[in-house]
Amino acid sequence: MSAETGNGEDSLPSAAPAPWRATILTLYPDMFPGPLGQSLSGKAIADGKWSLDAVNIRDFATTKHRNVDDTPAGGGPGMVMRADIVAKALDAAAPADDPRPRLLMSPRGKPLEQARVRELVAGPGAVILCGRFEGVDERVIEARGLEEVSIGDYVLSGGELGAMVLLDAIVRLLPGVMGGAESGTEESFESGLLEYPHYTRPREWEGRTIPDVLLSGDHAAIAKWRRLEAERITAERRPDLLERD
Ligand code: SAH
């Protein structure tokens, strides 16, 4: 009944696309869906617009004590996730012919941007490996062609929250998830600018009013004001965004 069987004569032309599919590899599967089970993304799971599968890496451990990590070669603090265990978990969750990109949450990765989020939205899903301890053995990153993704220049204790950030950014853009077809296109970063300021009722609050133009009903003037405000705020706060074009 899914679109994956869409070649058959009995499939309807209007059949829904296969849901966007996330597989998370983690030592803490109980953290999922967590916040992703609420609000827009939670409703989208319930509606079959995307799916989330959390795989416990520890299920692939081979030793009696089910170790997934070991001491770093060359010495130093902390522990490193073993290449062999991580690879087994990855290969079981996503065999070689699985078309989904394989991502590793990592502070060494390319910082996540809206453009990469859009690309991922357009694909079939993602397999996301969450690191813990000092990270994962470099050889599994190379051998499985993992794309390292960072959510910012700071260090988390594990990849799980990063994976949730990434998935939240993706899921809200999946077709039919967010109300209002335009609400995704005018936002910060979509046009290379930060967004203009928003206001709502009451008209006056603590002596502060809403800019007159927004109450004028003149849509062209409102659009112009918003554009100028977006440019002003971007120049003030993120001049680097203006230099990118
Ligand atoms: N020793 C590593 C940090 C390990 S933090 C270093 O100095 O680079 C443990 C795990 O948390 C990482 O393997 C990664 O999966 C996750 N993590 C930490 N910071 C992150 C960030 N900024 N973005 C994405 N994942 C992060």
Side-chain angles (χ1 to χ4, degrees):
M1 69 157 270
S2 80
E4 278 155 344
T5 57
N7 294 333
E9 283 173 11
D10 53 353
S11 70
L12 297 169
S14 60
W20 197 94
R21 195 157 71 92
T23 301
I24 312 290
L25 295 138
T26 170
L27 290 171
Y28 298 95
D30 293 346
M31 285 189 183
F32 294 88
L36 297 171
Q38 308 278 319
S39 187
L40 277 186
S41 54
K43 182 166 185 304
I45 293 184
D47 291 346
K49 300 219 163 73
W50 74 295
S51 71
L52 175 72
D53 189 18
V55 173
N56 191 347
I57 299 169
R58 206 172 289 283
D59 290 346
F60 297 85
T62 45
T63 59
K64 192 174 131 213
H65 295 292
R66 304 220 297 155
N67 302 74
V68 292
D69 55 322
D70 211 327
T71 53
M79 300 294 272
V80 177
M81 290 171 78
R82 286 171 52 142
D84 55 346
I85 311 293
V86 168
K88 267 212 258 175
L90 267 170
D91 295 347
D97 62 352
D98 190 316
R100 294 175 296 166
R102 290 154 178 71
L103 314 177
L104 167 64
M105 301 315 299
S106 162
R108 295 189 324 190
K110 187 167 178 222
L112 182 65
E113 290 186 0
Q114 193 70 0
R116 183 69 186 120
V117 171
R118 287 254 174 221
E119 287 170 6
L120 290 166
V121 166
V127 178
I128 308 174
L129 174 61
C130 301
R132 279 272 154 182
F133 320 117
E134 292 306 316
V136 300
D137 188 307
E138 191 71 19
R139 292 169 295 178
V140 72
I141 303 176
E142 291 167 10
R144 294 298 180 272
L146 304 182
E147 173 190 337
E148 295 183 59
V149 177
S150 167
I151 65 156
D153 290 345
Y154 41 81
V155 181
L156 304 168
S157 55
E160 289 78 9
L161 287 170
M164 288 180 199
V165 167
L166 172 61
L167 287 171
D168 184 272
I170 289 170
V171 168
R172 61 194 288 281
L173 296 181
L174 292 173
V177 170
M178 211 163 36
E182 279 168 22
S183 47
T185 56
E186 282 204 4
E187 286 175 320
S188 294
F189 308 114
E190 292 288 357
S191 58
L193 295 174
L194 300 178
E195 204 181 41
Y196 50 80
H198 296 289
Y199 300 87
T200 187
R201 278 182 279 272
R203 202 165 166 146
E204 190 183 326
W205 174 75
E206 293 192 351
R208 293 164 189 268
T209 54
I210 294 175
D212 287 339
V213 61
L214 297 179
L215 306 170
S216 68
D218 180 341
H219 296 298
I222 291 169
K224 187 172 165 208
W225 180 87
R226 285 179 168 166
R227 171 89 200 170
L228 290 173
E229 282 294 289
E231 286 170 6
R232 179 184 66 76
I233 289 170
T234 308
E236 253 173 46
R237 301 182 188 180
R238 293 291 304 277
D240 59 299
L241 292 177
L242 296 174
E243 282 152 25
R244 276 187 200 185
D245 299 351

PDB file of all heavy atoms in Angstrom, residues 79 81 104-109 129-136 148-163, ligand 1:
ATOM      1  N   MET A  79      37.241   7.765  26.281  1.00  0.00           N
ATOM      2  CA  MET A  79      37.083   6.503  25.573  1.00  0.00           C
ATOM      3  C   MET A  79      36.646   6.807  24.136  1.00  0.00           C
ATOM      4  O   MET A  79      36.144   7.887  23.849  1.00  0.00           O
ATOM      5  CB  MET A  79      36.005   5.657  26.249  1.00  0.00           C
ATOM      6  CG  MET A  79      36.309   5.308  27.705  1.00  0.00           C
ATOM      7  SD  MET A  79      37.742   4.211  27.874  1.00  0.00           S
ATOM      8  CE  MET A  79      36.958   2.607  27.726  1.00  0.00           C
ATOM      9  N   MET A  81      34.537   5.199  20.668  1.00  0.00           N
ATOM     10  CA  MET A  81      33.602   4.163  20.200  1.00  0.00           C
ATOM     11  C   MET A  81      34.292   3.295  19.150  1.00  0.00           C
ATOM     12  O   MET A  81      34.911   3.802  18.222  1.00  0.00           O
ATOM     13  CB  MET A  81      32.328   4.814  19.638  1.00  0.00           C
ATOM     14  CG  MET A  81      31.480   5.439  20.752  1.00  0.00           C
ATOM     15  SD  MET A  81      30.119   6.436  20.122  1.00  0.00           S
ATOM     16  CE  MET A  81      28.941   5.174  19.666  1.00  0.00           C
ATOM     17  N   LEU A 104      27.182  11.623  10.613  1.00  0.00           N
ATOM     18  CA  LEU A 104      27.710  11.491  11.977  1.00  0.00           C
ATOM     19  C   LEU A 104      27.651  12.871  12.627  1.00  0.00           C
ATOM     20  O   LEU A 104      28.229  13.825  12.103  1.00  0.00           O
ATOM     21  CB  LEU A 104      29.169  11.002  11.935  1.00  0.00           C
ATOM     22  CG  LEU A 104      29.942  11.122  13.257  1.00  0.00           C
ATOM     23  CD1 LEU A 104      29.340  10.230  14.345  1.00  0.00           C
ATOM     24  CD2 LEU A 104      31.420  10.772  13.045  1.00  0.00           C
ATOM     25  N   MET A 105      26.942  12.960  13.732  1.00  0.00           N
ATOM     26  CA  MET A 105      26.926  14.220  14.461  1.00  0.00           C
ATOM     27  C   MET A 105      28.321  14.419  15.052  1.00  0.00           C
ATOM     28  O   MET A 105      28.846  13.516  15.715  1.00  0.00           O
ATOM     29  CB  MET A 105      25.873  14.197  15.584  1.00  0.00           C
ATOM     30  CG  MET A 105      24.447  13.939  15.128  1.00  0.00           C
ATOM     31  SD  MET A 105      23.899  14.847  13.670  1.00  0.00           S
ATOM     32  CE  MET A 105      24.061  16.544  14.216  1.00  0.00           C
ATOM     33  N   SER A 106      28.921  15.588  14.795  1.00  0.00           N
ATOM     34  CA  SER A 106      30.310  15.782  15.213  1.00  0.00           C
ATOM     35  C   SER A 106      30.676  17.260  15.228  1.00  0.00           C
ATOM     36  O   SER A 106      30.379  17.974  14.272  1.00  0.00           O
ATOM     37  CB  SER A 106      31.224  15.049  14.221  1.00  0.00           C
ATOM     38  OG  SER A 106      32.536  15.532  14.316  1.00  0.00           O
ATOM     39  N   PRO A 107      31.336  17.718  16.306  1.00  0.00           N
ATOM     40  CA  PRO A 107      31.744  19.130  16.317  1.00  0.00           C
ATOM     41  C   PRO A 107      32.782  19.438  15.237  1.00  0.00           C
ATOM     42  O   PRO A 107      33.023  20.599  14.933  1.00  0.00           O
ATOM     43  CB  PRO A 107      32.335  19.326  17.724  1.00  0.00           C
ATOM     44  CG  PRO A 107      32.635  17.966  18.238  1.00  0.00           C
ATOM     45  CD  PRO A 107      31.731  17.009  17.525  1.00  0.00           C
ATOM     46  N   ARG A 108      33.382  18.401  14.642  1.00  0.00           N
ATOM     47  CA  ARG A 108      34.356  18.628  13.565  1.00  0.00           C
ATOM     48  C   ARG A 108      33.688  18.750  12.204  1.00  0.00           C
ATOM     49  O   ARG A 108      34.349  18.958  11.194  1.00  0.00           O
ATOM     50  CB  ARG A 108      35.324  17.446  13.471  1.00  0.00           C
ATOM     51  CG  ARG A 108      36.203  17.258  14.668  1.00  0.00           C
ATOM     52  CD  ARG A 108      37.255  16.220  14.356  1.00  0.00           C
ATOM     53  NE  ARG A 108      36.721  15.156  13.495  1.00  0.00           N
ATOM     54  CZ  ARG A 108      37.364  14.030  13.220  1.00  0.00           C
ATOM     55  NH1 ARG A 108      38.543  13.804  13.739  1.00  0.00           N
ATOM     56  NH2 ARG A 108      36.827  13.125  12.425  1.00  0.00           N
ATOM     57  N   GLY A 109      32.365  18.521  12.169  1.00  0.00           N
ATOM     58  CA  GLY A 109      31.664  18.496  10.890  1.00  0.00           C
ATOM     59  C   GLY A 109      31.435  19.876  10.320  1.00  0.00           C
ATOM     60  O   GLY A 109      31.722  20.893  10.953  1.00  0.00           O
ATOM     61  N   LEU A 129      24.284   8.791  13.002  1.00  0.00           N
ATOM     62  CA  LEU A 129      25.060   8.183  14.082  1.00  0.00           C
ATOM     63  C   LEU A 129      25.366   9.246  15.140  1.00  0.00           C
ATOM     64  O   LEU A 129      25.850  10.330  14.814  1.00  0.00           O
ATOM     65  CB  LEU A 129      26.360   7.610  13.495  1.00  0.00           C
ATOM     66  CG  LEU A 129      27.389   7.058  14.479  1.00  0.00           C
ATOM     67  CD1 LEU A 129      26.829   5.904  15.299  1.00  0.00           C
ATOM     68  CD2 LEU A 129      28.645   6.609  13.714  1.00  0.00           C
ATOM     69  N   CYS A 130      25.031   8.910  16.386  1.00  0.00           N
ATOM     70  CA  CYS A 130      25.280   9.827  17.493  1.00  0.00           C
ATOM     71  C   CYS A 130      26.510   9.362  18.260  1.00  0.00           C
ATOM     72  O   CYS A 130      26.526   8.246  18.783  1.00  0.00           O
ATOM     73  CB  CYS A 130      24.084   9.824  18.447  1.00  0.00           C
ATOM     74  SG  CYS A 130      22.545  10.299  17.657  1.00  0.00           S
ATOM     75  N   GLY A 131      27.519  10.208  18.321  1.00  0.00           N
ATOM     76  CA  GLY A 131      28.721   9.869  19.068  1.00  0.00           C
ATOM     77  C   GLY A 131      28.509  10.083  20.554  1.00  0.00           C
ATOM     78  O   GLY A 131      27.572  10.762  20.992  1.00  0.00           O
ATOM     79  N   ARG A 132      29.370   9.460  21.332  1.00  0.00           N
ATOM     80  CA  ARG A 132      29.454   9.662  22.787  1.00  0.00           C
ATOM     81  C   ARG A 132      30.923   9.596  23.156  1.00  0.00           C
ATOM     82  O   ARG A 132      31.761   9.292  22.308  1.00  0.00           O
ATOM     83  CB  ARG A 132      28.673   8.581  23.542  1.00  0.00           C
ATOM     84  CG  ARG A 132      27.187   8.847  23.594  1.00  0.00           C
ATOM     85  CD  ARG A 132      26.817   9.710  24.803  1.00  0.00           C
ATOM     86  NE  ARG A 132      25.585  10.460  24.571  1.00  0.00           N
ATOM     87  CZ  ARG A 132      25.068  11.316  25.454  1.00  0.00           C
ATOM     88  NH1 ARG A 132      25.665  11.541  26.610  1.00  0.00           N
ATOM     89  NH2 ARG A 132      23.983  11.978  25.174  1.00  0.00           N
ATOM     90  N   PHE A 133      31.270   9.823  24.366  1.00  0.00           N
ATOM     91  CA  PHE A 133      32.664   9.792  24.852  1.00  0.00           C
ATOM     92  C   PHE A 133      33.504  10.793  24.035  1.00  0.00           C
ATOM     93  O   PHE A 133      33.028  11.886  23.744  1.00  0.00           O
ATOM     94  CB  PHE A 133      33.245   8.364  24.786  1.00  0.00           C
ATOM     95  CG  PHE A 133      32.265   7.295  25.193  1.00  0.00           C
ATOM     96  CD1 PHE A 133      31.840   6.321  24.311  1.00  0.00           C
ATOM     97  CD2 PHE A 133      31.733   7.295  26.478  1.00  0.00           C
ATOM     98  CE1 PHE A 133      30.929   5.335  24.693  1.00  0.00           C
ATOM     99  CE2 PHE A 133      30.826   6.314  26.877  1.00  0.00           C
ATOM    100  CZ  PHE A 133      30.423   5.350  25.971  1.00  0.00           C
ATOM    101  N   GLU A 134      34.706  10.354  23.596  1.00  0.00           N
ATOM    102  CA  GLU A 134      35.546  11.262  22.799  1.00  0.00           C
ATOM    103  C   GLU A 134      35.159  11.269  21.323  1.00  0.00           C
ATOM    104  O   GLU A 134      35.689  12.049  20.538  1.00  0.00           O
ATOM    105  CB  GLU A 134      37.027  10.871  22.928  1.00  0.00           C
ATOM    106  CG  GLU A 134      37.617  11.109  24.297  1.00  0.00           C
ATOM    107  CD  GLU A 134      37.435  12.542  24.782  1.00  0.00           C
ATOM    108  OE1 GLU A 134      37.660  13.467  23.988  1.00  0.00           O
ATOM    109  OE2 GLU A 134      37.061  12.723  25.950  1.00  0.00           O
ATOM    110  N   GLY A 135      34.264  10.379  20.947  1.00  0.00           N
ATOM    111  CA  GLY A 135      33.875  10.288  19.545  1.00  0.00           C
ATOM    112  C   GLY A 135      34.064   8.869  19.044  1.00  0.00           C
ATOM    113  O   GLY A 135      34.184   7.937  19.846  1.00  0.00           O
ATOM    114  N   VAL A 136      34.072   8.709  17.698  1.00  0.00           N
ATOM    115  CA  VAL A 136      34.170   7.356  17.133  1.00  0.00           C
ATOM    116  C   VAL A 136      35.513   7.164  16.426  1.00  0.00           C
ATOM    117  O   VAL A 136      36.119   8.123  15.949  1.00  0.00           O
ATOM    118  CB  VAL A 136      33.006   7.045  16.153  1.00  0.00           C
ATOM    119  CG1 VAL A 136      31.662   7.156  16.860  1.00  0.00           C
ATOM    120  CG2 VAL A 136      33.039   7.939  14.946  1.00  0.00           C
ATOM    121  N   GLU A 148      30.204  14.208   8.328  1.00  0.00           N
ATOM    122  CA  GLU A 148      30.164  14.778   9.676  1.00  0.00           C
ATOM    123  C   GLU A 148      29.397  16.091   9.671  1.00  0.00           C
ATOM    124  O   GLU A 148      29.658  16.972   8.852  1.00  0.00           O
ATOM    125  CB  GLU A 148      31.592  14.973  10.208  1.00  0.00           C
ATOM    126  CG  GLU A 148      32.317  13.645  10.382  1.00  0.00           C
ATOM    127  CD  GLU A 148      33.705  13.798  10.970  1.00  0.00           C
ATOM    128  OE1 GLU A 148      33.834  14.332  12.080  1.00  0.00           O
ATOM    129  OE2 GLU A 148      34.660  13.383  10.298  1.00  0.00           O
ATOM    130  N   VAL A 149      28.430  16.186  10.563  1.00  0.00           N
ATOM    131  CA  VAL A 149      27.569  17.368  10.644  1.00  0.00           C
ATOM    132  C   VAL A 149      27.668  17.967  12.043  1.00  0.00           C
ATOM    133  O   VAL A 149      27.445  17.270  13.039  1.00  0.00           O
ATOM    134  CB  VAL A 149      26.088  16.997  10.372  1.00  0.00           C
ATOM    135  CG1 VAL A 149      25.189  18.214  10.518  1.00  0.00           C
ATOM    136  CG2 VAL A 149      25.940  16.367   8.997  1.00  0.00           C
ATOM    137  N   SER A 150      27.980  19.253  12.103  1.00  0.00           N
ATOM    138  CA  SER A 150      28.048  19.958  13.383  1.00  0.00           C
ATOM    139  C   SER A 150      26.829  20.854  13.531  1.00  0.00           C
ATOM    140  O   SER A 150      26.342  21.409  12.548  1.00  0.00           O
ATOM    141  CB  SER A 150      29.311  20.820  13.422  1.00  0.00           C
ATOM    142  OG  SER A 150      29.244  21.725  14.510  1.00  0.00           O
ATOM    143  N   ILE A 151      26.342  21.004  14.759  1.00  0.00           N
ATOM    144  CA  ILE A 151      25.241  21.961  14.945  1.00  0.00           C
ATOM    145  C   ILE A 151      25.747  23.278  15.533  1.00  0.00           C
ATOM    146  O   ILE A 151      24.952  24.147  15.870  1.00  0.00           O
ATOM    147  CB  ILE A 151      24.065  21.391  15.769  1.00  0.00           C
ATOM    148  CG1 ILE A 151      24.481  21.075  17.202  1.00  0.00           C
ATOM    149  CG2 ILE A 151      23.455  20.179  15.095  1.00  0.00           C
ATOM    150  CD1 ILE A 151      23.300  21.075  18.159  1.00  0.00           C
ATOM    151  N   GLY A 152      27.055  23.440  15.616  1.00  0.00           N
ATOM    152  CA  GLY A 152      27.581  24.718  16.084  1.00  0.00           C
ATOM    153  C   GLY A 152      28.922  24.541  16.761  1.00  0.00           C
ATOM    154  O   GLY A 152      29.324  23.425  17.098  1.00  0.00           O
ATOM    155  N   ASP A 153      29.600  25.653  16.958  1.00  0.00           N
ATOM    156  CA  ASP A 153      30.953  25.611  17.499  1.00  0.00           C
ATOM    157  C   ASP A 153      30.948  25.568  19.019  1.00  0.00           C
ATOM    158  O   ASP A 153      31.323  26.536  19.700  1.00  0.00           O
ATOM    159  CB  ASP A 153      31.751  26.824  17.005  1.00  0.00           C
ATOM    160  CG  ASP A 153      32.048  26.719  15.521  1.00  0.00           C
ATOM    161  OD1 ASP A 153      31.902  25.606  14.963  1.00  0.00           O
ATOM    162  OD2 ASP A 153      32.424  27.738  14.916  1.00  0.00           O
ATOM    163  N   TYR A 154      30.499  24.464  19.545  1.00  0.00           N
ATOM    164  CA  TYR A 154      30.525  24.184  20.978  1.00  0.00           C
ATOM    165  C   TYR A 154      30.467  22.668  21.096  1.00  0.00           C
ATOM    166  O   TYR A 154      30.134  21.992  20.117  1.00  0.00           O
ATOM    167  CB  TYR A 154      29.324  24.835  21.704  1.00  0.00           C
ATOM    168  CG  TYR A 154      28.034  24.720  20.936  1.00  0.00           C
ATOM    169  CD1 TYR A 154      27.292  23.534  20.980  1.00  0.00           C
ATOM    170  CD2 TYR A 154      27.587  25.747  20.120  1.00  0.00           C
ATOM    171  CE1 TYR A 154      26.131  23.411  20.242  1.00  0.00           C
ATOM    172  CE2 TYR A 154      26.427  25.621  19.376  1.00  0.00           C
ATOM    173  CZ  TYR A 154      25.699  24.461  19.450  1.00  0.00           C
ATOM    174  OH  TYR A 154      24.560  24.333  18.706  1.00  0.00           O
ATOM    175  N   VAL A 155      30.789  22.138  22.251  1.00  0.00           N
ATOM    176  CA  VAL A 155      30.867  20.678  22.395  1.00  0.00           C
ATOM    177  C   VAL A 155      29.746  20.159  23.287  1.00  0.00           C
ATOM    178  O   VAL A 155      29.580  20.599  24.426  1.00  0.00           O
ATOM    179  CB  VAL A 155      32.241  20.259  22.971  1.00  0.00           C
ATOM    180  CG1 VAL A 155      32.321  18.744  23.103  1.00  0.00           C
ATOM    181  CG2 VAL A 155      33.368  20.762  22.069  1.00  0.00           C
ATOM    182  N   LEU A 156      28.977  19.242  22.749  1.00  0.00           N
ATOM    183  CA  LEU A 156      27.910  18.564  23.501  1.00  0.00           C
ATOM    184  C   LEU A 156      28.481  17.278  24.082  1.00  0.00           C
ATOM    185  O   LEU A 156      29.544  16.827  23.671  1.00  0.00           O
ATOM    186  CB  LEU A 156      26.749  18.214  22.558  1.00  0.00           C
ATOM    187  CG  LEU A 156      26.129  19.360  21.765  1.00  0.00           C
ATOM    188  CD1 LEU A 156      25.211  18.807  20.681  1.00  0.00           C
ATOM    189  CD2 LEU A 156      25.366  20.273  22.700  1.00  0.00           C
ATOM    190  N   SER A 157      27.733  16.664  24.990  1.00  0.00           N
ATOM    191  CA  SER A 157      28.226  15.409  25.556  1.00  0.00           C
ATOM    192  C   SER A 157      27.860  14.211  24.687  1.00  0.00           C
ATOM    193  O   SER A 157      28.355  13.114  24.894  1.00  0.00           O
ATOM    194  CB  SER A 157      27.697  15.232  26.979  1.00  0.00           C
ATOM    195  OG  SER A 157      26.301  15.328  26.977  1.00  0.00           O
ATOM    196  N   GLY A 158      26.984  14.424  23.722  1.00  0.00           N
ATOM    197  CA  GLY A 158      26.617  13.327  22.833  1.00  0.00           C
ATOM    198  C   GLY A 158      25.905  13.852  21.609  1.00  0.00           C
ATOM    199  O   GLY A 158      25.459  15.006  21.581  1.00  0.00           O
ATOM    200  N   GLY A 159      25.778  13.016  20.582  1.00  0.00           N
ATOM    201  CA  GLY A 159      25.180  13.448  19.328  1.00  0.00           C
ATOM    202  C   GLY A 159      23.663  13.480  19.317  1.00  0.00           C
ATOM    203  O   GLY A 159      23.046  13.975  18.369  1.00  0.00           O
ATOM    204  N   GLU A 160      23.027  12.962  20.379  1.00  0.00           N
ATOM    205  CA  GLU A 160      21.560  12.809  20.353  1.00  0.00           C
ATOM    206  C   GLU A 160      20.826  14.142  20.220  1.00  0.00           C
ATOM    207  O   GLU A 160      19.898  14.258  19.418  1.00  0.00           O
ATOM    208  CB  GLU A 160      21.083  12.055  21.594  1.00  0.00           C
ATOM    209  CG  GLU A 160      21.442  10.566  21.602  1.00  0.00           C
ATOM    210  CD  GLU A 160      22.889  10.278  21.978  1.00  0.00           C
ATOM    211  OE1 GLU A 160      23.594  11.224  22.411  1.00  0.00           O
ATOM    212  OE2 GLU A 160      23.332   9.127  21.824  1.00  0.00           O
ATOM    213  N   LEU A 161      21.223  15.123  21.021  1.00  0.00           N
ATOM    214  CA  LEU A 161      20.532  16.416  20.916  1.00  0.00           C
ATOM    215  C   LEU A 161      20.797  17.051  19.559  1.00  0.00           C
ATOM    216  O   LEU A 161      19.926  17.702  18.979  1.00  0.00           O
ATOM    217  CB  LEU A 161      20.957  17.355  22.054  1.00  0.00           C
ATOM    218  CG  LEU A 161      20.397  16.996  23.424  1.00  0.00           C
ATOM    219  CD1 LEU A 161      21.065  17.836  24.513  1.00  0.00           C
ATOM    220  CD2 LEU A 161      18.892  17.209  23.461  1.00  0.00           C
ATOM    221  N   GLY A 162      22.009  16.861  19.047  1.00  0.00           N
ATOM    222  CA  GLY A 162      22.330  17.369  17.705  1.00  0.00           C
ATOM    223  C   GLY A 162      21.438  16.724  16.650  1.00  0.00           C
ATOM    224  O   GLY A 162      20.918  17.401  15.757  1.00  0.00           O
ATOM    225  N   ALA A 163      21.247  15.409  16.769  1.00  0.00           N
ATOM    226  CA  ALA A 163      20.390  14.701  15.808  1.00  0.00           C
ATOM    227  C   ALA A 163      18.959  15.225  15.892  1.00  0.00           C
ATOM    228  O   ALA A 163      18.270  15.378  14.874  1.00  0.00           O
ATOM    229  CB  ALA A 163      20.420  13.200  16.089  1.00  0.00           C
TER     230      ALA A 163
HETATM  231  N1  SAH B   1      36.332  14.798  21.494  1.00  0.00           N
HETATM  232  C1  SAH B   1      35.452  15.391  20.565  1.00  0.00           C
HETATM  233  C2  SAH B   1      34.118  15.766  21.224  1.00  0.00           C
HETATM  234  C3  SAH B   1      33.265  14.590  21.571  1.00  0.00           C
HETATM  235  S1  SAH B   1      31.720  15.060  22.203  1.00  0.00           S
HETATM  236  C4  SAH B   1      36.107  16.645  19.955  1.00  0.00           C
HETATM  237  O1  SAH B   1      36.826  17.315  20.672  1.00  0.00           O
HETATM  238  O2  SAH B   1      35.871  16.937  18.770  1.00  0.00           O
HETATM  239  C5  SAH B   1      30.806  13.558  22.069  1.00  0.00           C
HETATM  240  C6  SAH B   1      29.857  13.461  20.894  1.00  0.00           C
HETATM  241  O3  SAH B   1      28.906  14.506  20.975  1.00  0.00           O
HETATM  242  C7  SAH B   1      30.461  13.588  19.519  1.00  0.00           C
HETATM  243  O4  SAH B   1      30.990  12.360  19.060  1.00  0.00           O
HETATM  244  C8  SAH B   1      29.290  14.041  18.695  1.00  0.00           C
HETATM  245  O5  SAH B   1      28.504  12.964  18.248  1.00  0.00           O
HETATM  246  C9  SAH B   1      28.485  14.871  19.681  1.00  0.00           C
HETATM  247  N2  SAH B   1      28.696  16.316  19.521  1.00  0.00           N
HETATM  248  C10 SAH B   1      29.386  17.118  20.354  1.00  0.00           C
HETATM  249  N3  SAH B   1      29.375  18.394  19.934  1.00  0.00           N
HETATM  250  C11 SAH B   1      28.675  18.413  18.789  1.00  0.00           C
HETATM  251  C12 SAH B   1      28.321  19.448  17.863  1.00  0.00           C
HETATM  252  N4  SAH B   1      28.700  20.702  18.037  1.00  0.00           N
HETATM  253  N5  SAH B   1      27.585  19.110  16.793  1.00  0.00           N
HETATM  254  C13 SAH B   1      27.193  17.831  16.592  1.00  0.00           C
HETATM  255  N6  SAH B   1      27.490  16.816  17.432  1.00  0.00           N
HETATM  256  C14 SAH B   1      28.216  17.092  18.521  1.00  0.00           C
END
